[in-house]
DNA sequence: CCAGATCCATGCCGCCAGGTTATAGCCGCA
DNA sequence: TGCGGCTATAACCTGGCGGCATGGATCTGG
């Protein structure tokens, strides 16, 4: 008798949400799909897991037992797979580094070089992540260490070492009414449509909409993008404007887009992150040390 | 990222067998299917689990880690599901009883009645099992307790309480050359084709072929069946003869088949079995006690 | 009493993943 | 040089999952 972990995840979601419809949207599947899957799980186990009613799904006794213990089991499985990945990488002397957009800017190659000196024989594998994954794959165990922008959801569960901060500028389409201004006050664009990250990015998305720095004003979202190129296209095509690290003017310069300094909005914090599970991992520690040494305390990367 | 436990079972099998082809036949799938699944697992994890060679598949370091820890995890999952099933049944006051063919013969209804007196409000659910499952579903957690015939594979892992034993007779098609004999010596039919259980039944199958009581002579198998009706049909149609409990003459009498006493072969042992996981389960214990009281030490059920 | 909202269940359809068989490639061995 | 172990690849079939649209039941408010 076989079982897909998807079924278990579905089940847990339904048990937690209490209704199929809410669980379905949380899982990004349709409600009928969930209906069928939960029924199938019940059929597979030969156990009634929920009692249905118009008010939702309430777990039976067996359902509660399962709901209580399944998450731990899934976590065990996840940990095991993660460990297997880590073993393989250590064996191959590969360190996977996740990053978002321009990572640590001009410092990035120096960090890699420094790490190469400290750990000869090791290879660094850089993996760019979409904004839907603002931990750059660290939370999923896809990478060993990540160059990220703070804050992002889930960072409490990780070890964060801040590196430097840089001002934020604003990216505009070339023909924009403010495109010729030397500097823009953030409040001038409060009512402009913004190009935003996907909702999953949570606090990270809000940070780049500066949602907390608009004096309570609501945000207008003109487009939602998940990757630098989509983001650039959306701006160039006039769907909206966006905050960007000052360094974007160098790393993401392209025709049809201009970057302008903006006042009245906080800077962006760059950090290196690693998993607590790697606390004992000397290679990861070395990489973090290299980051601090090269891009550390001085604010040389503005 | 989702994962089917089937993938893990496949993986474990390959790791244990050392070659795809052997693992494939143990898993009853084709070798290409396994090839694809293992590759898929590797793709899913992003980890190389085996190094291929013409001599077989040898696990990598990551593969060894996974192979060592996966069985435990699968067992945990299995235990959890089993527990959920058990909770549901206890809540519904249902005791599932698995059995093979005629179970404890004439004693069966008395056992059920006695249990009904001892546990009013409880309902007994009888589930007949095929011979491919000689623990009658107990090993799979499908039932709480089982009326079985000894020996069967996997019985060491269960709690067995012997009840009684009965002689074995032989079942023949009506037109058989020995059909009119009052009693048959087992050695007279050593060379006859026998109707056997499926190979998975292991020791149980051998027991009913009396493989160990043929003085080393090989067994001729004329047909393989998995259920009483198939078995009866196979005999009636002349594919072979078979040993049967003496009680079969009463429970499985039908035109075209005759049962005759046989000498020179051991009797059949009936027992009630339960899982060690239910050691603390008073209801199961009660059922076992009822079995012993009704069908216990005296050999009244021959 | 009816309209609307909010649940879950059902029917239909397209698609992919997993299975099968047949075959190719690779090597060691008699 | 052909045979017998392996694993890999190709072509095909099917069952199940997911999506959409809709049905049916039950509260809620005007």
């Amino acid at each position: 008798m076989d079982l897909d972990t998807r079924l278990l995840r579905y089940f847990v979601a339904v048990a937690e949400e209490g209704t199929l419809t809410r669980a379905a949207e949380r899982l990004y599947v349709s409600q009928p799909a969930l209906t069928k899957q939960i029924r199938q799980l019940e059929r597979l186990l030969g156990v009634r897991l929920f009692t249905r009613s118009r008010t939702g799904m309430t777990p039976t006794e067996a359902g509660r037992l399962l709901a209580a213990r399944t998450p731990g089991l899934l976590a065990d499985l996840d940990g095991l797979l993660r460990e297997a990945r880590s073993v393989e990488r250590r064996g191959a002397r590969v360190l996977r580094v996740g990053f978002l957009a321009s990572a640590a800017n001009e410092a990035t190659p120096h960090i890699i070089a420094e790490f190469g000196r400290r750990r000869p024989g090791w290879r660094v594998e850089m993996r760019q992540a979409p904004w839907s994954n603002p931990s750059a794959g660290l939370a999923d165990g896809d990478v060993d260490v990540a160059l990220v922008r703070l804050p992002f959801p889930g960072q409490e569960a990780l070890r964060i070492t801040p590196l430097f901060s840089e001002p934020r500028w604003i990216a505009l389409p070339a023909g924009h009414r403010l495109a010729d201004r030397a500097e823009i006050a953030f409040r001038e664009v409060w009512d402009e449509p913004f190009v935003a990250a996907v909702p999953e990015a949570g606090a990270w998305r809000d940070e780049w909409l500066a949602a907390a720095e608009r004096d309570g004003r609501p945000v207008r979202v003109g487009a939602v993008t998940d990757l630098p190129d989509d983001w650039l296209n959306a701006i160039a095509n006039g769907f909206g404007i966006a905050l960007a690290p000052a360094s974007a003017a160098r790393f993401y310069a392209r025709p049809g887009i201009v970057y302008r300094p903006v006042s009245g909005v906080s800077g962006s914090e760059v950090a290196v992150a690693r998993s607590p599970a790697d606390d004992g991992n000397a290679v990861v520690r070395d990489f973090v040390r290299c980051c601090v040494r090269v891009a550390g305390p001085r604010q040389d990367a503005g």
Side-chain angles (χ1 to χ4, degrees), chain A:
Chain A
M1 195 212 49
D2 274 306
L3 191 52
D4 196 324
T5 57
R6 185 184 353 100
L7 278 184
L8 296 179
R9 286 193 306 107
Y10 283 8
F11 164 75
V12 170
V14 173
E16 281 176 8
E17 295 288 343
T19 96
L20 280 180
T21 3
R22 274 211 306 277
E25 61 193 47
R26 166 170 144 193
L27 294 167
Y28 300 104
V29 296
S30 69
Q31 168 263 315
L34 251 192
T35 295
K36 278 192 282 192
Q37 291 307 305
I38 296 296
R39 291 178 90 79
Q40 160 141 358
L41 181 60
E42 290 181 327
R43 192 181 56 72
L44 220 58
L45 303 189
V47 170
R48 189 152 201 84
L49 296 172
F50 296 98
T51 61
R52 277 81 164 161
S53 71
R54 34 236 133 279
T55 104
M57 315 266 288
T58 63
T60 62
E61 191 180 351
R64 283 196 301 275
L65 170 73
L66 212 61
R69 302 240 307 253
T70 302
L73 238 156
L74 289 178
D76 287 353
L77 175 61
D78 196 56
L80 175 55
L81 302 186
R82 202 168 293 211
E83 208 168 326
R85 274 188 278 256
S86 141
V87 160
E88 144 132 317
R89 267 173 257 154
R90 206 169 308 190
R93 308 194 162 245
V94 169
L95 183 79
R96 292 204 207 185
V97 180
F99 68 100
L100 293 173
S102 61
N105 303 337
E106 283 83 358
T108 315
H110 299 119
I111 292 172
I112 308 300
E114 174 71 13
F115 177 76
R117 275 189 294 277
R118 188 184 281 259
R119 285 278 177 182
W122 277 73
R123 196 163 54 78
V124 169
E125 206 171 290
M126 302 288 293
R127 303 179 74 100
Q128 184 171 22
W131 295 325
S132 49
N133 193 349
S135 78
L138 195 62
D140 320 316
D142 287 341
V143 300
D144 302 303
V145 67
L147 292 165
V148 294
R149 302 263 172 178
L150 305 181
F152 62 89
Q155 73 180 67
E156 314 74 30
L158 301 170
R159 304 263 186 255
I160 307 287
T161 308
L163 295 178
F164 62 88
S165 91
E166 61 175 324
R168 289 198 281 185
W169 286 20
I170 201 152
L172 310 150
H176 193 275
R177 66 180 167 95
L178 300 172
D180 295 330
R181 293 272 290 281
E183 174 161 331
I184 300 168
F186 186 51
R187 97 166 57 76
E188 294 180 81
V189 297
W190 277 356
D191 294 326
E192 294 270 339
F194 266 61
V195 178
V198 293
E200 301 96 284
W204 193 90
R205 166 192 163 112
D206 294 341
E207 169 74 7
W208 287 96
L209 295 170
E213 303 176 57
R214 288 167 180 266
D215 210 15
R217 220 64 76 86
V219 182
R220 288 182 57 199
V221 172
V224 170
T225 66
D226 199 27
L227 287 168
D229 279 315
D230 298 341
W231 181 80
L232 291 165
N233 279 328
I235 296 171
N237 294 335
F239 288 107
I241 65 176
L243 289 170
S247 54
R250 305 188 298 278
F251 285 88
Y252 290 101
R254 74 171 56 178
I257 298 199
V258 298
Y259 297 91
R260 290 289 174 260
V262 59
S263 64
V265 75
S266 59
S268 167
E269 193 89 24
V270 173
V272 56
R274 62 198 168 82
S275 160
D278 277 330
D279 277 351
N281 187 327
V283 179
V284 167
R285 221 163 36 220
D286 277 355
F287 185 85
V288 172
R289 208 167 290 149
C290 292
C291 290
V292 172
R293 171 166 314 176
V294 173
R298 14 171 221 297
Q299 290 195 214
D300 57 354

